[in-house]
Amino acid sequence: MENKYTFEAHGIIWRVMYDHTIGVILLEMRDGDQKEVSFAALEVKTGIVLWEGLQLEENWWISMAGVKDGFLYFSEFDQNDAIPKVKKLQKLNIKEATLVEDNQEDPSQLSSAEEFELPIVYPVESEYYATLSTFLKQLEYDVAESDIHYYETSHQIIFVFIERKNSVLQRKLLICSRKGEVLFQEVIDTDIRDQIMDSFFMVDNMLLYIKEKEIWCGLSLTALNN
């Protein structure tokens, strides 16, 4: 599909950040078996990988802390504490993938994903849930009783919901036109065992989501209109 890209992560995608000043997605990927964490950077629009598999000297007790003006900051934790506390911040030039030691004070405020928009989450007990569930059932989806994630654009309606399929619960992404025509659909988790909080993100008419916990996907909604 020309309007979609994917990136297979090095382990579970644990954290996602976005630097809107340079249009780059940052992924934190954790391999629990190897006890290793690595990082990747992709252009949000094209999926072009700027770099991947980046590791720092501390390769487990470290995490992305935030972004600001083209720099990614990492928190390193002291694992000897009963409750790990941040030991220090490290600063990476995102475009160059190089650590910077400029002796400047760390910013007082970092962002994780400015300009990301999130869907509205409708729990089963909410008033609007029944309307959404009925609409999906009319499209012949076997909707399980669980939160429905919902987002509208000027041309599309986007759903993420739990569907029963051969006695298994799956998580489905569905994009319809405003008239109710199915434009795109994909199973993004083939076997749901526990509640997954996030479903998708929107930025600059790009739909961004994680499939099977380890595949980062970007889909241009502009292309769906053509």
Side-chain angles (χ1 to χ4, degrees), residues 23 40 48 51 56 58 78 83 107 118 131 158 160-161 168 196 223:
I48 291 173
W51 41 263
L56 304 182
E58 169 53 54
D78 187 346
I83 301 176
L118 301 174
T131 303
I158 305 167
V160 165
F161 60 97
V168 174
I196 302 173

Side-chain angles (χ1 to χ4, degrees), residues 141-192:
Y141 295 106
D142 188 0
V143 181
E145 285 202 353
S146 183
D147 297 350
I148 294 177
H149 294 217
Y150 179 84
Y151 187 93
E152 286 188 19
T153 74
S154 55
H155 294 93
Q156 297 108 356
I157 306 170
I158 305 167
F159 301 86
V160 165
F161 60 97
I162 307 299
E163 181 185 26
R164 297 183 194 88
K165 205 72 173 179
N166 301 323
S167 74
V168 174
L169 294 179
Q170 299 184 335
R171 195 159 64 140
K172 173 71 70 72
L173 166 66
L174 173 69
I175 305 175
C176 297
S177 70
R178 303 285 293 194
K179 296 179 181 179
E181 305 159 317
V182 175
L183 301 175
F184 178 86
Q185 59 182 316
E186 183 174 24
V187 174
I188 56 177
D189 287 289
T190 53
D191 191 356
I192 295 291

Side-chain angles (χ1 to χ4, degrees), residues 67-85:
V67 295
K68 189 174 179 64
D69 300 331
F71 292 95
L72 171 62
Y73 292 81
F74 299 96
S75 301
E76 184 177 333
F77 299 93
D78 187 346
Q79 68 266 38
N80 295 319
D81 285 345
I83 301 176
K85 298 175 183 176

Side-chain angles (χ1 to χ4, degrees), residues 23-70:
V24 172
I25 294 287
L26 291 311
L27 302 178
E28 177 177 318
M29 305 167 289
R30 290 190 173 267
D31 183 333
D33 294 332
Q34 299 295 324
K35 285 288 189 290
E36 289 184 349
V37 58
S38 63
F39 305 90
L42 297 79
E43 290 185 357
V44 68
K45 284 281 198 177
T46 64
I48 291 173
V49 179
L50 302 180
W51 41 263
E52 62 178 299
L54 176 80
Q55 291 184 302
L56 304 182
E57 185 175 349
E58 169 53 54
N59 61 4
W60 183 247
W61 292 93
I62 195 162
S63 184
M64 296 192 300
V67 295
K68 189 174 179 64
D69 300 331

Side-chain angles (χ1 to χ4, degrees), residues 86-179:
V86 175
K87 188 164 62 174
K88 63 178 178 177
L89 287 181
Q90 296 184 62
K91 176 180 177 181
L92 182 91
N93 182 310
I94 294 171
K95 283 292 187 73
E96 297 179 8
T98 55
L99 287 172
V100 177
E101 295 186 14
D102 53 13
N103 297 318
Q104 293 184 7
E105 285 189 23
D106 294 327
S108 56
Q109 289 188 325
L110 297 171
S111 67
S112 58
E114 280 187 28
E115 300 191 12
F116 261 9
E117 294 183 55
L118 301 174
I120 300 171
V121 178
Y122 290 101
V124 174
E125 62 273 13
S126 67
E127 184 180 350
Y128 202 41
Y129 177 88
T131 303
L132 299 179
S133 179
T134 299
F135 173 81
L136 293 169
K137 288 174 181 176
Q138 287 172 347
L139 294 175
E140 299 186 349
Y141 295 106
D142 188 0
V143 181
E145 285 202 353
S146 183
D147 297 350
I148 294 177
H149 294 217
Y150 179 84
Y151 187 93
E152 286 188 19
T153 74
S154 55
H155 294 93
Q156 297 108 356
I157 306 170
I158 305 167
F159 301 86
V160 165
F161 60 97
I162 307 299
E163 181 185 26
R164 297 183 194 88
K165 205 72 173 179
N166 301 323
S167 74
V168 174
L169 294 179
Q170 299 184 335
R171 195 159 64 140
K172 173 71 70 72
L173 166 66
L174 173 69
I175 305 175
C176 297
S177 70
R178 303 285 293 194
K179 296 179 181 179

